Amino acid sequence: MVPEIERAVALLRQGELVAFPTETVYGLGADASNPVAVAKIFAAKGRPADHPLIVHVPGAEHLQRWAREIPETAYALAKVFWPGPLTLILKRRPEVLDAITGGQDTVGLRVPNHPLALELLKAFNGGIAAPSANRFGRISPTTAQHVRDELGDAVAMILDGGPCQVGIESTIVDLTGARATILRPGMVSAIDLGRVLGRTPSAGASGAPRVSGSLEAHYAPRTPLALLQPDVVIFAVRESLAANERLGVIAPMPCPLSDERIVWRQIAGEPAPFAHDIYALLRELDGLNCTRIVVQKPPQAENWSGINDRLRRAEAGSGNT
Ligand code: TXA
Ligand code: MG
């Protein structure tokens, strides 16, 4: 075992927090069966206590340690999408901590697809509770440096696995009802899930505190953010120049002018590379004292649904310093 994994496992066993990379975003990990350790997550993030945490496990064979009455659909989805950016909501086993489930009868489980995360989980051989390693309501971290900037000394160790490949949080699908329901869209789409389930899952009601990602003011930069249609972006640029303001822009086309007041970041026009870059770019622009950040609205298509969800929330929650 590499020494840093050994150290991370030892810290987890001691009830300390270890941040680690996953393919989606960095997680703030704690031993999911240790109430003192789990309490440290909420303290470090400033997260309300009734918001449940995802338990990360090394493989689908661990499901029964945390969940009961597991439907066949869970194993079918696990087989296709794990390790990967999909979280399953299942009925919990009674011994799962209330702090993990938010006192609900369900538990969220995921096998992340990152070599360091998998090595850590296998060596730990248990469940690691991990929310995204950001302060509550802020943009999720996709590099180890982001985690340092967000949480600094609140975490005992940060495993650095480079930039996250997927870049936005996992799709969350609830399998406890008669029909599978997507509680949080992500890069595994409803269509992808429907192919395995034989029926497209329904979209869950947002706004409920069950999923903290469903609060409107989430994934938000401090700088006011506007999502604009492609043809309006250039007007925003002109307006901003006229007002002599500094504007941040994230758009798929190259910057049409050269002016130091316009901080332009070109982003891919395809969902996968867009998701990969968007949080890091928002974080960067948020640190540059722009008056406003403009993001060109992606297409309203199914394979963009996770991205559009996060952008909408970023817009809704932005500007709160
Ligand atoms: O990609 C991800 O899912 C990342 C990485 C680190 O795995 N984690 C993540 O965790 O995004 P967090 O805590 O930031 O968001 C997890 C979401 C929350 O909105 C939480 O409310 C929801 O999962 N959740 C967890 N357990 C749940 C449950 N039993 N029922 C409903 N929602 C649940
Ligand atoms: Mg989060």
Side-chain angles (χ1 to χ4, degrees):
M1 202 193 308
V2 288
E4 58 172 353
I5 296 286
E6 216 165 321
R7 202 177 130 229
V9 168
L11 287 167
L12 288 171
R13 294 211 194 292
Q14 287 160 28
E16 297 298 334
L17 299 181
V18 174
F20 63 98
T22 81
E23 81 282 34
T24 58
V25 300
Y26 273 73
L28 178 61
D31 178 352
S33 54
N34 178 344
V36 178
V38 171
K40 287 182 185 169
I41 290 180
F42 289 89
K45 275 187 68 98
R47 175 166 169 145
D50 62 343
H51 287 202
L53 301 172
I54 295 171
V55 178
H56 297 69
V57 293
E61 68 282 0
H62 275 242
L63 281 184
Q64 287 170 44
R65 299 192 189 183
W66 303 91
R68 64 175 212 277
E69 300 167 38
I70 303 169
E72 268 314 307
T73 48
Y75 290 106
L77 291 174
K79 198 166 170 210
V80 175
F81 297 108
W82 280 356
L86 178 68
T87 296
L88 303 180
I89 304 296
L90 299 168
K91 288 197 178 143
R92 73 188 265 192
R93 298 255 312 228
E95 59 272 26
V96 180
L97 297 175
D98 279 333
I100 296 283
T101 66
Q104 303 175 79
D105 192 34
T106 57
V107 61
L109 292 153
R110 175 165 114 81
V111 180
N113 187 19
H114 189 291
L116 269 187
L118 286 170
E119 230 185 300
L120 178 67
L121 285 162
K122 279 180 190 141
F124 185 66
N125 192 29
I128 300 179
S132 50
N134 52 282
R135 306 224 10 112
F136 181 67
R138 297 300 177 192
I139 301 163
S140 295
T142 53
T143 69
Q145 187 57 48
H146 295 164
V147 180
R148 264 174 231 122
D149 296 344
E150 284 277 328
L151 298 172
D153 294 340
V155 36
M157 180 181 183
I158 302 172
L159 280 168
D160 190 342
C164 300
Q165 247 216 308
V166 174
I168 65 168
E169 303 82 354
S170 61
T171 303
I172 302 181
V173 61
D174 184 347
L175 297 179
T176 62
R179 181 171 179 188
T181 305
I182 293 182
L183 301 183
R184 180 175 72 184
M187 296 308 280
V188 173
S189 74
I191 293 168
D192 298 332
L193 294 170
R195 251 182 230 125
V196 177
L197 296 170
R199 185 183 182 193
T200 307
S202 56
S206 72
R210 292 186 67 188
V211 177
S212 71
S214 71
L215 294 176
E216 278 305 322
H218 220 75
Y219 312 105
R222 292 178 170 85
T223 314
L225 182 148
L227 276 175
L228 299 181
Q229 296 293 351
D231 52 343
V232 187
V233 170
I234 203 65
F235 289 106
V237 169
R238 283 201 202 119
E239 213 174 67
S240 195
L241 286 175
N244 198 23
E245 286 173 356
R246 187 163 208 207
L247 181 72
V249 181
I250 300 175
M253 63 272 199
C255 184
L257 64 136
S258 155
D259 189 302
E260 62 188 15
R261 291 166 295 176
I262 306 299
V263 188
W264 190 287
R265 294 289 176 269
Q266 200 178 350
I267 194 163
E270 291 299 314
F274 187 109
H276 179 274
D277 291 346
I278 186 64
Y279 282 167
L281 290 177
L282 287 175
R283 193 174 276 275
E284 187 207 348
L285 293 185
D286 203 21
L288 293 180
N289 292 317
C290 299
T291 312
R292 201 152 81 109
I293 299 171
V294 160
V295 180
Q296 181 176 313
K297 228 181 213 171
Q300 294 300 304
E302 176 55 36
N303 54 347
W304 287 91
S305 61
I307 292 164
N308 283 325
D309 171 79
R310 302 310 187 280
L311 289 176
R312 246 188 336 97
R313 294 174 202 291
E315 182 179 44
S318 67
N320 301 314
T321 42

